[in-house]
Amino acid sequence: MPGNKAVAYLAPGRVEVQDTDYPEFQLKDGPGVHPANVGRKVRHGAIVKTIATNICGSDQHMVRGRTTAPPGLILGHEITGEVVETGPDVEFTKAGDLVSVPFNISCGRCRNCKEGKTGICENVNPDRPGSAYGYVDMGGWVGGQAEYVLVPYADWNLLKFPDRDQAMEKILDLAMLADIFPTGYHGCVTAGVGTGSTVYIAGAGPVGLAAATSAFLLGAAVVIVGDLNEDRLAQARRFGCETADVSKGEPKDQIEQILGVPEVDCAVDAVGFEARGHGAEAGVERPATVLNSLMDLTRAGGAIGIPGLYVTGDPGAADEAAKQGSLSLRLGLGWAKSHAFFTGQCPVMRYNRQLMMAILHDRVRIAEAVNATPIPLTEAPQGYADFDQGAARKYVLDPHGLLGSA
């Protein structure tokens, strides 16, 4: 049996690559594992050899100490790899399959899964609907920033790439299918982006850039990306976006300079609960700033997609209300303008096959848009540090050195 190495959260600002257990078809006790899941048999699972596993902004929230994540939690929910072993109840998935692993863990059997709401599966997390690999309060499924990872309900969850050689040629693009590409796409779909739309996307991190790419794929006429980080704004401009530097003032005023009117048809929040203020308050944490500004700049009758993460527990929040996930929202404004709001985990399986086909047939270059940058697993701590400092990159960990010159 091979060994295994994985990235573990130790304390705020600290991660470490550790020797850890090779996966088995049964959940063991460990950091973050829900007691009701300990001993759970996973006869329906597959063990995946990780080819690519990404550092996500959601991981960064935990590493900053902004969640209740326990020390020792193995991180990572954006996984692409090769099946090396299957459990006795797996029928269709085979060793050697090259696959994308949706970050949502879902059973395929419950009411929500059957309705396509795989982000809120009822059977994988004893605390509440919805689960993910290596994430706080998500049931304790071990993360995939590792050499090997266990994937439950393999026949249901895994997306097989149709041709191995073709997939390896586009592996950095395909690595975005586990989370950020479907998540950005979901933000745009739920915001109503379509042919000729004008779109504002708050946040030029990887999810925001994935949303901007998705907006063009959906036919948007103008895509405006707002952020405080000039390097990330420059990355957005490289593939045709207009940009708004919100450190210089409200995005609404900059939108008017671009469009001639101070509003857009559709808006996407790709920032989440660690939002900063605009203009003079650019360095100050203001968790409701983005949502309130989106209500202000979205046309009456428009919709706001919210793939940005919001949490129920934030020990590092700026005020007591925010520590419980309570924000000072101008809901009256959104109500008066008849806005629609769409929140929650992206149901990855709703989109990943179609987006895979767009990648394989050269309709989109998502890795280039988000500046996907492979690094060895051993460099994960530095990758986390650089990403936390605002690097305009999407770091892709390469545990087995298989990404080559991708």
Side-chain angles (χ1 to χ4, degrees), residues 150-234:
L150 173 67
V151 176
Y153 303 102
D155 282 334
W156 165 255
N157 280 305
L158 294 177
L159 173 66
K160 180 183 175 181
F161 302 138
D163 182 270
R164 184 185 183 89
D165 291 339
Q166 182 190 30
M168 288 304 296
E169 288 177 3
K170 298 179 181 293
I171 193 65
L172 283 185
D173 294 281
L174 294 170
M176 304 303 128
L177 290 174
D179 182 354
I180 67 164
F181 194 11
T183 293
Y185 193 85
H186 179 64
C188 289
V189 168
T190 55
V193 177
T195 302
S197 296
T198 58
V199 186
Y200 177 74
I201 296 168
V207 170
L209 296 175
T213 303
S214 300
F216 284 125
L217 193 60
L218 288 163
V222 182
V223 179
I224 305 168
V225 179
D227 204 290
L228 301 161
N229 183 321
E230 175 51 36
D231 289 343
R232 290 181 171 181
L233 292 175

Side-chain angles (χ1 to χ4, degrees), residues 125-403:
N125 182 357
D127 277 334
R128 62 175 183 266
S131 189
Y133 303 89
Y135 210 82
V136 59
D137 296 333
M138 288 290 184
W141 299 87
V142 177
Q145 286 175 12
E147 293 176 321
Y148 298 91
V149 63
L150 173 67
V151 176
Y153 303 102
D155 282 334
W156 165 255
N157 280 305
L158 294 177
L159 173 66
K160 180 183 175 181
F161 302 138
D163 182 270
R164 184 185 183 89
D165 291 339
Q166 182 190 30
M168 288 304 296
E169 288 177 3
K170 298 179 181 293
I171 193 65
L172 283 185
D173 294 281
L174 294 170
M176 304 303 128
L177 290 174
D179 182 354
I180 67 164
F181 194 11
T183 293
Y185 193 85
H186 179 64
C188 289
V189 168
T190 55
V193 177
T195 302
S197 296
T198 58
V199 186
Y200 177 74
I201 296 168
V207 170
L209 296 175
T213 303
S214 300
F216 284 125
L217 193 60
L218 288 163
V222 182
V223 179
I224 305 168
V225 179
D227 204 290
L228 301 161
N229 183 321
E230 175 51 36
D231 289 343
R232 290 181 171 181
L233 292 175
Q235 180 66 24
R237 289 192 290 271
R238 288 191 181 98
F239 60 96
C241 300
E242 301 284 348
T243 57
D245 184 346
V246 297
S247 71
K248 297 178 179 177
E250 290 298 323
K252 184 176 182 178
D253 299 329
Q254 298 174 63
I255 288 169
E256 185 169 19
Q257 294 173 9
I258 296 166
L259 297 177
V261 293
E263 64 180 18
V264 292
D265 298 323
C266 317
V268 177
D269 173 5
V271 177
F273 72 102
E274 287 193 61
R276 297 294 192 271
H278 298 155
E281 293 192 331
V284 181
E285 188 163 314
R286 294 283 186 264
T289 294
V290 168
L291 290 172
N292 285 333
S293 69
L294 295 190
M295 286 186 274
D296 193 30
L297 59 82
T298 303
R299 70 174 181 86
I304 299 170
I306 311 174
L309 176 68
Y310 289 87
V311 295
T312 56
D314 175 9
D319 57 59
E320 290 301 316
K323 289 179 181 180
Q324 308 301 320
S326 297
L327 308 181
S328 298
L329 295 179
R330 296 184 64 195
L331 190 59
L333 175 62
W335 189 93
K337 296 177 76 172
S338 294
H339 284 156
F341 302 85
F342 294 87
T343 68
Q345 285 188 32
C346 163
V348 170
M349 293 173 69
R350 190 176 297 176
Y351 309 108
N352 63 351
R353 184 174 297 278
Q354 299 95 310
L355 295 177
M356 174 187 74
M357 295 302 289
I359 289 169
L360 293 177
H361 295 279
D362 299 316
R363 304 304 300 171
V364 65
R365 300 174 70 175
I366 182 64
E368 182 178 300
V370 302
N371 198 15
T373 304
I375 60 174
L377 185 70
T378 54
E379 294 181 15
Q382 187 62 51
Y384 269 98
D386 291 347
F387 190 46
D388 193 46
Q389 293 300 310
R393 298 178 181 275
K394 176 68 172 176
Y395 287 107
V396 181
L397 303 179
D398 183 5
H400 295 278
L402 298 173
L403 296 182

